[in-house]
Amino acid sequence: MNYILAILLPPLSILLAGRPILSIVTFIIWLPALFFSGGLTHPMFILLAWFVIFEGRNRRA
């Protein structure tokens, strides 16, 4: 479920993965980048969110 959320809202997905400060920093960068680039930088944030989710699952296991 968190991976699907990462596609739509990467900062929220990072927050739910347990990284609140990274989530705030990502949101501050993601919002202007989304509007100024027309969404071209969105895949970069999706990959970041997926990496954080994957890393968090490996840390717990």
Side-chain angles (χ1 to χ4, degrees), residues 21-58:
I21 298 191
L22 181 61
S23 174
I24 293 168
V25 171
T26 303
F27 181 75
I28 291 171
I29 297 169
W30 175 71
L31 198 58
L34 189 64
F35 289 115
F36 289 132
S37 73
L40 293 175
T41 58
H42 189 69
M44 176 182 65
F45 292 103
I46 292 172
L47 290 175
L48 172 66
W50 282 2
F51 178 73
V52 169
I53 294 166
F54 181 76
E55 184 254 334
R57 287 184 184 211
N58 281 345

